[in-house]
Amino acid sequence: MPITTEVSTAVHNWSSSLAALPPLLRGEPSDTTLDELRTAYDEMLAAHPTPEGVTIEEVDMGGIPGIVVTPETVEDNRALFYIHGGAYIVGSPAGYHGLAGNFAVRLNARVFLPHYRLAPEHPFPTPINDTVDAYRWLLEQGQDPKRLMVAGDSAGGAMTVTVMIKARNLGLPLPAAGVALSPWANLEHTGASMTNREGLDPLNSKAVLDLLARSFLGGALPNDPDASPVFADVRGLPPILVTIGENELMLSDAVRLAGHLAENRVRVSLDVWPEMFHVWHMHQDRLPEGRKALDDAARFLLEALPAR
């Protein structure tokens, strides 16, 4: 269905909330600090409503702060490990109560969100290492990996794949399945959509994404497999759903990620939504496509869980 004026305004506000970020990263004079921008960004995301009946508690995830979102009913000790987005530079669990709560209700599962450290103060690979440490902590608490799922959006969508790879390499148990929402999967930004979706994507531009990538990488190469999972050894990973909006600059590289997984014998589903924008799932409260995409993601995760 057409994007409503209400949704268009919300997306514009989302984009505007980050207008001061590029000058800050370039070291230009600014009326705001990076910490102030991050706080305002979290407050903007936190306006998305949290479902009734869920509780939210702070948790120490092995030295990594985080939150756990718990629905009224938790079945079979199910858990979702959710990795927030924000280009590794902004974002925190504080802005994700709504999205995490909607996953918790759909999955009847506790949702754990780590608050990994952010670039540029803590550049690559610190955000990834923090997230792997939090994943390890969850397993050490006795979480059954057969009842564990992983999901994330944007940078967190890429980390959904990367954390599984790191876990595999460390000999840690892998989850039952993963979902990558609008993944930022290739920091080289070589996909065709980086050019032919310029102007259609209301949240991103290639120039800004290039700046964000440089700020995160801190001198590392953009084709480092831990930064860009399209270059990683993905063999042996569990089923993964890649879901992406057709208007996104990241479209081609998300399709490339799905193909890379398939070519390496990972069971993968690719779901491309016409006319949708970056992480439209956030707007599920006013966008039917957001609700349906979350329903589909939850169904994919639940179908991967072994029967009791």
Side-chain angles (χ1 to χ4, degrees), residues 21-276:
L21 184 57
L24 281 168
L25 294 177
R26 290 192 293 261
E28 299 171 1
S30 176
D31 293 332
T32 188
T33 67
L34 185 52
D35 284 343
E36 289 170 343
L37 182 146
R38 285 169 174 159
T39 298
Y41 182 76
D42 285 342
E43 290 173 350
M44 180 273 303
L45 291 184
H48 293 288
T50 304
E52 293 184 6
V54 303
T55 60
I56 299 167
E57 300 173 283
E58 294 184 356
V59 61
D60 182 338
M61 303 179 72
I64 309 301
I67 64 170
V68 55
V69 180
T70 305
E72 291 180 320
T73 301
V74 176
E75 294 186 21
D76 299 329
N77 192 34
R78 293 176 189 164
L80 174 68
F81 184 80
Y82 192 90
I83 311 168
H84 73 79
Y88 307 94
I89 292 171
V90 298
S92 81
Y96 277 75
H97 295 181
L99 189 57
N102 275 283
F103 267 117
V105 169
R106 284 169 168 81
L107 297 171
N108 287 330
R110 283 183 288 268
V111 181
F112 292 84
L113 293 89
H115 188 4
Y116 55 85
R117 288 173 289 177
L118 299 172
E121 303 95 321
H122 305 283
F124 173 83
T126 298
I128 295 168
N129 290 343
D130 283 356
T131 307
V132 173
D133 286 345
Y135 177 84
R136 180 191 290 110
W137 170 86
L138 185 54
L139 293 171
E140 290 173 348
Q141 305 315 297
Q143 174 62 47
D144 182 357
K146 294 180 181 179
R147 301 288 157 190
L148 177 59
M149 301 157 279
V150 177
D153 64 279
S154 195
M159 278 201 281
T160 294
V161 179
T162 301
V163 166
M164 291 183 190
I165 295 167
K166 302 288 278 186
R168 180 203 64 196
N169 293 348
L170 290 167
L172 298 175
L174 295 178
V179 170
L181 308 177
S182 296
W184 192 25
N186 177 12
L187 301 195
E188 285 194 330
H189 300 150
T190 50
S193 59
M194 283 287 168
T195 301
N196 62 33
R197 261 56 177 183
E198 189 80 66
L200 286 178
D201 188 330
L203 287 168
N204 295 303
S205 70
K206 185 177 183 300
V208 171
L209 287 175
D210 287 343
L211 174 63
L212 296 174
R214 289 194 300 270
S215 299
F216 163 58
L217 290 167
L221 293 176
N223 64 356
D224 188 300
D226 287 348
S228 298
V230 295
F231 301 109
D233 177 0
V234 297
R235 290 173 294 180
L237 298 190
I240 295 173
L241 168 66
V242 176
T243 176
I244 188 79
E246 177 259 330
N247 279 3
E248 295 196 51
L249 266 67
M250 299 175 189
L251 170 64
S252 296
D253 290 322
V255 172
R256 177 175 173 178
L257 175 63
H260 180 56
L261 291 164
E263 289 167 357
N264 284 276
R265 299 181 177 177
V266 177
R267 185 167 75 80
V268 62
S269 293
L270 173 65
D271 202 359
V272 179
W273 283 74
E275 300 184 32
M276 287 298 103

